[in-house]
């Protein structure tokens, strides 16, 4: 640790990283251009353990909206070594494949495996929004209690209170520390 500033950066509304939809679309274009075979080859050559390689490949398939492929890989991995984030991502696959019952089951497994996984509480709440607002609200409050400043959960609470239905499902595992964005 040194007591001097080495890097200064500025965040504003026009940063590419703030244009999340554009960033996702660009990532998808790049991945599609690379193609499945090349992606599998690249991941296969990585210096990770086999479990981590397959988990990475499944997450890449999710980025490509290939949820069936991702689900199949993660279900195999869960049989080998069930981990909280496998359940979380299986919940997301199930959600996007139109199977909310399976998504609920997977998010609940994720929470049982790691009761501090705020993103699983948020996503479970998204499923409950239309049928059990009280449960959804409790789940969102839990997510915010675990991760103050969690933007998806805060957004979803606002949507729930206003009666709107523009809920935000968290697509990826949260980082260990959340970045707080300020308008500068």
């Amino acid at each position: 640790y040194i007591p001097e500033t080495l890097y200064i950066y500025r965040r504003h509304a026009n940063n590419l990283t703030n244009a999340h939809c554009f960033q996702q679309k660009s990532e998808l274009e790049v991945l599609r251009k690379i193609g499945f075979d090349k992606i599998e080859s690249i991941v296969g050559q990585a210096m990770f353990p086999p479990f981590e390689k397959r988990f990475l490949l499944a997450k890449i398939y999710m980025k490509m909206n290939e949820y069936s492929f991702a689900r199949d890989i993660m279900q195999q991995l869960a049989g080998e070594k069930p981990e909280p984030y496998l359940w979380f991502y299986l919940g997301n696959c199930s959600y996007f494949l139109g199977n909310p019952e399976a998504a609920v089951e997977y998010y609940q497994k994720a929470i049982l495996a790691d009761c501090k996984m705020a993103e699983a509480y948020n996503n479970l709440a998204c499923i409950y929004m239309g049928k059990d607002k009280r449960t959804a609200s409790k789940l969102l409050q839990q997510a915010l209690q675990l991760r103050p400043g969690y933007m998806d959960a805060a957004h979803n609470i606002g949507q729930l209170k206003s009666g709107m239905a523009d809920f935000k499902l968290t697509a990826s595992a949260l980082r260990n520390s959340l970045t707080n964005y300020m308008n500068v």
Side-chain angles (χ1 to χ4, degrees):
Y1 298 98
I2 55 176
E4 63 184 277
T5 303
L6 299 175
Y7 180 73
I8 297 173
Y9 67 98
R10 192 173 82 114
R11 299 209 45 101
H12 54 82
N14 294 327
N15 281 104
L16 178 59
T17 55
N18 286 339
H20 189 65
C21 289
F22 178 74
Q23 182 181 354
Q24 284 181 315
K25 185 178 176 186
S26 297
E27 285 177 5
L28 182 57
E29 278 182 38
V30 168
L31 290 170
R32 295 256 183 233
K33 284 180 183 178
I34 293 171
F36 293 114
D37 292 338
K38 183 71 173 170
I39 289 169
E40 287 182 21
S41 173
I42 292 167
V43 171
Q45 294 172 26
M47 299 302 290
F48 299 128
F51 179 92
E52 295 299 324
K53 287 182 193 182
R54 292 186 302 170
F55 193 26
L56 174 60
L57 183 60
K59 290 191 283 185
I60 292 170
Y61 281 148
M62 288 184 72
K63 278 196 173 282
M64 297 174 76
N65 302 320
E66 296 292 342
Y67 298 107
S68 295
F69 291 135
R71 179 201 58 210
D72 293 347
I73 293 169
M74 285 189 276
Q75 283 176 333
Q76 290 173 349
L77 293 174
E80 295 172 24
K81 183 178 170 186
E83 293 193 356
Y85 286 105
L86 276 173
W87 300 129
F88 170 75
Y89 284 113
L90 277 165
N92 284 359
C93 286
S94 297
Y95 180 87
F96 289 116
L97 289 168
N99 189 346
E101 296 82 16
V104 166
E105 182 181 327
Y106 287 129
Y107 293 139
Q108 288 172 339
K109 284 183 177 186
I111 291 167
L112 282 173
D114 180 357
C115 64
K116 295 182 179 180
M117 189 183 293
E119 55 270 60
Y121 287 97
N122 178 74
N123 290 6
L124 187 55
C126 287
I127 295 170
Y128 280 104
M129 297 284 194
K131 56 185 176 185
D132 185 351
K133 290 183 182 354
R134 180 176 291 176
T135 298
S137 179
K138 287 179 184 179
L139 290 164
L140 291 169
Q141 292 296 335
Q142 182 67 31
L144 277 175
Q145 183 179 2
L146 291 167
R147 300 295 292 265
Y150 179 12
M151 292 169 37
D152 288 353
H155 169 85
N156 290 338
I157 285 175
Q159 292 294 298
L160 193 60
K161 286 180 180 176
S162 70
M164 303 298 286
D166 180 26
F167 305 119
K168 290 190 177 184
L169 191 89
T170 301
S172 299
L174 296 176
R175 296 183 190 118
N176 289 335
S177 62
L178 294 175
T179 303
N180 290 321
Y181 297 103
M182 310 176 352
N183 290 328
V184 179

